[in-house]
């Protein structure tokens, strides 16, 4: 008896490749899935066929260059389902911090601070999530996306179930793990109350504040959390920086950054 395998592709746009590694880190889990899937394109494992039509295309990286924009349209046309993996693809990620440059002094010098010859760098005016250019079917957040989350997502797809995506607040998972709250006991600037779960509350489990790798949760009350941070002694720039780290260009976090940076003088 022959069974049809699900064809998948893993595409990279502007990114650090960390989310592709999360794929590879599935190790034996990924190997066992090979009975059911056929990998048609995945440059990190040496399979190079970006024009192959597939059932599911996983996208790592943001749209930061004209080439990214061209490629993502072609990927959409070749794929039945498109799934973004990681912060870059879902929210623009770390490289979308440049979208916030207008909030700071001398934004035009940003490229020159990073590159010795900035005239050779061809980028779009902004770094954008994939969903701004094409229709996206599912989003897996995280920087990087979690290996367990990927494996669970793929397994649900393969049995024909609608994948259940994480969006509740990290504090819920943290409490289920019976962690001691670092915000209460150490006055740490934890982002858990406004961040979606998916990492298993990894940082609070080791006594550290959440850095916000997984992006805004459903209905995040960012202003309330920011006010609490101020009450703990954080200065305005610390609060803005906290929200800027991984998902600074999402509407919810950008509003908070603008509030604590741009309106700072008005508040004084
Ligand atoms: S989301 Fe993070 S780990 Fe994944 S590609 Fe972007 S920067 Fe790298
Ligand atoms: S440690 Fe952070 S994630 Fe955990 S309950 Fe406290 S605020 Fe929430």
């Amino acid at each position: 008896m022959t069974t049809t395998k699900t064809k998948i592709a893993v595409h990279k746009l502007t990114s650090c490749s960390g989310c592709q590694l999360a794929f590879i880190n599935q190790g034996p889990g990924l190997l066992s899935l090979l009975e059911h899937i056929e990998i048609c394109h995945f440059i990190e494992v040496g399979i190079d066929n970006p024009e192959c039509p597939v059932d599911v295309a996983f996208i790592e990286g943001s749209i930061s260059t004209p080439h990214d924009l061209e490629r993502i349209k072609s990927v959409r046309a070749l794929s039945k389902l498109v799934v973004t993996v990681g912060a870059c693809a879902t929210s623009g990620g770390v490289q979308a911090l440049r979208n916030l440059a207008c909030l700071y002094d001398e934004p035009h010098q940003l490229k020159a601070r990073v590159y010795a010859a900035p005239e050779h760098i061809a980028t779009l005016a902004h770094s954008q999530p994939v969903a701004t250019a094409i229709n996206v079917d599912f989003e897996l957040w995280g920087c990087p996306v979690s290996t367990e989350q990927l494996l669970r997502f793929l397994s649900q797809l393969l049995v024909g179930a609608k994948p259940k995506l994480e969006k509740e607040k990290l504090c819920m998972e943290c409490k289920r793990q019976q962690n001691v709250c670092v915000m209460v006991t150490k006055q740490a600037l934890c982002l858990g109350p406004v961040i979606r779960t998916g990492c298993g509350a990894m940082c609070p489990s080791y006594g550290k504040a959440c850095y916000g790798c997984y992006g805004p949760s459903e209905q995040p009350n960012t202003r309330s959390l920011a006010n609490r941070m101020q009450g703990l002694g954080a200065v305005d720039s610390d609060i803005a920086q906290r929200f800027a780290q991984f998902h600074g260009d999402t509407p919810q976090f950008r509003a908070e950054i603008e509030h604590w940076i741009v309106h700072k003088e008005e508040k004084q």
Side-chain angles (χ1 to χ4, degrees):
M1 188 179 81
T2 57
T3 53
T4 312
K5 290 186 175 182
T6 300
K7 292 186 172 187
I8 73 160
V10 182
H11 293 274
K12 171 183 161 66
L13 304 176
T14 298
S15 60
C16 80
S17 300
C19 288
Q20 290 183 81
L21 289 179
F23 244 99
I24 297 168
N25 285 346
Q26 292 174 77
L30 182 59
L31 290 178
S32 67
L33 283 178
L34 289 177
E35 281 179 32
H36 309 286
I37 63 173
E38 178 187 346
I39 300 177
C40 299
H41 172 73
F42 190 172
I43 202 75
E44 195 80 7
V45 299
I47 303 171
D48 185 10
N49 186 10
E51 302 302 325
C52 180
V54 293
D55 298 301
V56 190
F58 292 93
I59 316 293
E60 173 200 80
S62 66
I63 300 174
S64 294
T65 67
H67 184 56
D68 288 338
L69 191 54
E70 201 181 299
R71 276 196 56 213
I72 199 62
K73 289 181 179 164
S74 150
V75 167
R76 179 68 271 187
L78 291 164
S79 317
K80 290 182 189 160
L81 283 182
V82 170
V83 184
T84 56
V85 290
C88 301
T90 50
S91 79
V94 175
Q95 57 269 40
L97 286 177
R98 70 187 168 88
N99 303 355
L100 306 176
C102 58
L103 302 178
Y104 294 86
D105 298 336
E106 303 170 349
H108 54 284
Q109 290 189 359
L110 202 60
K111 236 187 234 181
R113 282 189 199 159
V114 179
Y115 299 103
E119 65 276 15
H120 296 303
I121 307 297
T123 57
L124 296 169
H126 293 100
S127 184
Q128 299 289 358
V130 170
T132 58
I134 60 162
N135 183 40
V136 169
D137 299 288
F138 294 100
E139 292 180 332
L140 299 179
W141 294 64
C143 183
V145 66
S146 103
T147 297
E148 292 72 26
Q149 201 182 9
L150 266 176
L151 198 52
R152 193 165 57 242
F153 178 85
L154 259 173
S155 306
Q156 288 169 339
L157 265 192
L158 290 174
V159 296
K162 184 174 179 198
K164 186 173 178 293
L165 301 182
E166 318 258 7
K167 55 184 176 184
E168 68 173 8
K169 296 173 175 68
L170 183 69
C171 289
M172 305 290 281
E173 176 61 22
C174 192
K175 291 291 108 190
R176 279 196 290 272
Q177 297 205 15
Q178 302 184 6
N179 291 329
V180 173
C181 178
V182 297
M183 184 175 263
V184 172
T185 57
K186 297 182 181 173
Q187 288 73 54
L189 305 184
C190 187
L191 280 173
V194 298
I195 293 296
R196 74 181 59 213
T197 191
C199 62
M202 191 187 294
C203 293
S205 299
Y206 285 95
K208 302 287 181 196
C210 165
Y211 290 96
C213 323
Y214 275 72
S217 63
E218 55 187 356
Q219 301 177 331
N221 190 344
T222 51
R223 184 58 46 82
S224 176
L225 178 61
N227 286 338
R228 180 74 190 116
M229 288 178 173
Q230 190 182 42
L232 292 173
V235 296
D236 292 7
S237 57
D238 280 349
I239 297 170
Q241 231 172 32
R242 208 68 195 164
F243 284 97
Q245 290 182 99
F246 294 96
H247 298 275
D249 204 29
T250 53
Q252 305 93 329
F253 286 11
R254 188 180 173 114
E256 221 45 58
I257 295 163
E258 286 177 354
H259 178 81
W260 294 94
I261 289 181
V262 178
H263 303 303
K264 186 174 163 186
E265 287 173 12
E266 293 167 21
K267 284 188 284 159
Q268 286 170 344

